[in-house]
Amino acid sequence: MAIHNNLMLALFVVVTFSSINVGLSARNLLQIPALPTIPISLPKPTVSQVPVIPTLPQPTVPNFPITQPSLNLPKPTLPSIPTIPNFPSITTIPNFPSLPTIPNVIPTIPNGIIPTIPFFSPPSAKTSP
């Protein structure tokens, strides 16, 4: 973002100095004598005639049939869809043994004793709340 600010400042300075130079050059142009006037009526240039291109014969387009002849081809037949075989249904689901419980071996961290990294944490308060 700082580059854009510096670029805008440099552009502003350039435009300021260029407008000063334009003002001085305009003052100098007003001090020179008047230029001779340009005549209003200029001689008209002569234009030569454009050569005529000869007309070429137009080609003839053959007549095409509007309707297409119908093709009586036999339609292919699709094979029959295979059937799914019937499987015997399962009436009861066997009972599985229950999973053993996992003991809680993760120790809990008491409140207020969370280890911190001194560089990333604020300093501790002098008084307790």
Side-chain angles (χ1 to χ4, degrees):
M1 211 52 189
I3 289 177
H4 296 293
N5 291 339
N6 290 338
L7 185 65
M8 293 300 290
L9 179 64
L11 183 65
F12 179 72
V13 169
V14 167
V15 167
T16 302
F17 282 112
S18 67
S19 65
I20 292 172
N21 292 335
V22 168
L24 290 175
S25 61
R27 183 177 295 168
N28 288 335
L29 284 175
L30 288 174
Q31 292 177 356
I32 62 172
L35 297 174
T37 59
I38 299 175
I40 295 175
S41 61
L42 295 174
K44 302 223 180 223
T46 58
V47 179
S48 63
Q49 291 291 337
V50 178
V52 178
I53 300 174
T55 58
L56 297 174
Q58 297 296 323
T60 58
V61 179
N63 292 331
F64 292 110
I66 296 174
T67 60
Q68 294 182 349
S70 63
L71 299 176
N72 293 328
L73 297 176
K75 293 183 180 179
T77 59
L78 296 175
S80 63
I81 299 174
T83 59
I84 300 173
N86 291 331
F87 293 108
S89 62
I90 300 174
T91 57
T92 60
I93 299 174
N95 291 333
F96 292 106
S98 62
L99 296 174
T101 58
I102 301 173
N104 190 3
V105 292
I106 301 173
T108 59
I109 300 174
N111 291 337
I113 310 178
I114 299 174
T116 59
I117 301 172
F119 182 74
F120 293 115
S121 61
S124 58
K126 302 287 186 216
T127 61
S128 62

